[in-house]
Amino acid sequence: MKLIIASNNAHKLIEIKDILGGMFDEIVSMKEAGIDHETVEDGKTFMENAVKKAREIAEISGCWAIADDSGICVDALDGAPGIYSARFSGRHGDDKANNRLLLEKLEGVEDRGAHYTCAIALVGPEGSIYEAEGYMYGSIGFEEKGSNGFGYDPLFILPEEGGLTAAQISPEEKNRISHRSQALHRLLQEIGKEK
């Protein structure tokens, strides 16, 4: 049984392969599967976007497909940037600009609580859908610290890691506690309930 990850993000590929490797004979990225497709992420929630991405790749490939949509939700900004995390500053995937804008919007703000959300959808070639979400809680720092991770990780402070940011801990440690890891483990539980 083959699983196609609806992404070419190297970080996601490693984490998904590590956790779901025992369930599928082969796990490949869209590029490895020879699929060049861009899903229009116009959902109103993380899960709507994840389901749409996975469904489109399952339909194109005739294989199982998995997709996630994730982002950071800041309490003082009423959950923003949320589903717009990757394009918060107006340019998709510009981590530096996104982090700068977040710091600007939080200038003078005391309550800096935030959480990462990850919604994961697994869609079968016949249309079956499994869904799960995971969360990682922390707060937004006042300056970027650390060189690991990506996105908002240099600003995201983890209280259970002694106040280090998600970019200051090792990738292995982050994968152990991350919102994506939690969502993937919950997905395994959902699949287990069905069998």
Side-chain angles (χ1 to χ4, degrees), residues 1-3 17 20-28 64:
M1 205 160 55
K2 185 178 190 177
L3 174 66
K17 284 181 179 182
L20 299 184
M23 285 194 55
F24 295 90
D25 302 320
E26 189 182 4
I27 300 178
V28 297
W64 283 86

Side-chain angles (χ1 to χ4, degrees), residues 76-125:
L77 302 179
D78 296 323
I83 60 171
Y84 304 107
S85 293
R87 52 191 184 276
F88 190 39
S89 65
R91 291 183 302 281
H92 194 281
D94 188 338
D95 292 350
K96 284 287 181 195
N98 289 338
N99 284 332
R100 250 193 327 270
L101 180 59
L102 183 57
L103 287 175
E104 282 172 25
K105 289 195 174 283
L106 289 177
E107 202 167 318
V109 174
E110 295 275 325
D111 172 19
R112 299 172 82 88
H115 67 274
Y116 273 115
T117 296
C118 176
I120 286 191
L122 176 68
V123 177

Side-chain angles (χ1 to χ4, degrees), residues 8-191:
N8 288 311
N9 180 311
H11 301 284
K12 292 181 185 181
L13 299 179
I14 292 166
E15 204 167 356
I16 291 170
K17 284 181 179 182
D18 185 44
I19 294 171
L20 299 184
M23 285 194 55
F24 295 90
D25 302 320
E26 189 182 4
I27 300 178
V28 297
S29 67
M30 285 170 47
K31 186 177 182 180
E32 290 167 330
I35 297 171
D36 182 16
H37 177 75
E38 185 89 25
T39 296
V40 177
E41 295 182 38
D42 53 6
K44 297 205 171 17
T45 65
F46 290 113
M47 191 57 77
E48 283 180 19
N49 285 331
V51 169
K52 187 177 183 188
K53 286 190 277 189
R55 183 180 282 134
E56 288 181 8
I57 298 306
E59 287 172 356
I60 289 167
S61 67
C63 297
W64 283 86
I66 191 168
D68 85 312
D69 194 35
S70 52
I72 197 164
C73 305
V74 180
D75 299 345
L77 302 179
D78 296 323
I83 60 171
Y84 304 107
S85 293
R87 52 191 184 276
F88 190 39
S89 65
R91 291 183 302 281
H92 194 281
D94 188 338
D95 292 350
K96 284 287 181 195
N98 289 338
N99 284 332
R100 250 193 327 270
L101 180 59
L102 183 57
L103 287 175
E104 282 172 25
K105 289 195 174 283
L106 289 177
E107 202 167 318
V109 174
E110 295 275 325
D111 172 19
R112 299 172 82 88
H115 67 274
Y116 273 115
T117 296
C118 176
I120 286 191
L122 176 68
V123 177
E126 77 301 334
S128 59
I129 300 174
Y130 298 91
E131 301 174 358
E133 287 192 0
Y135 309 93
M136 184 167 66
Y137 293 90
S139 61
I140 304 300
F142 292 87
E143 61 181 342
E144 292 187 28
K145 292 181 181 176
S147 56
N148 293 328
F150 57 100
Y152 298 90
D153 287 353
L155 290 176
F156 192 74
I157 296 171
L158 298 160
E160 72 273 16
E161 297 296 327
L164 295 175
T165 69
Q168 289 177 299
I169 61 175
S170 71
E172 294 76 24
E173 179 63 11
K174 184 190 166 197
N175 287 351
R176 190 180 63 74
I177 62 170
S178 79
H179 47 306
R180 187 169 299 107
S181 171
Q182 290 178 42
L184 284 165
H185 282 101
R186 286 188 183 129
L187 185 70
L188 281 177
Q189 291 172 349
E190 285 301 310
I191 295 165

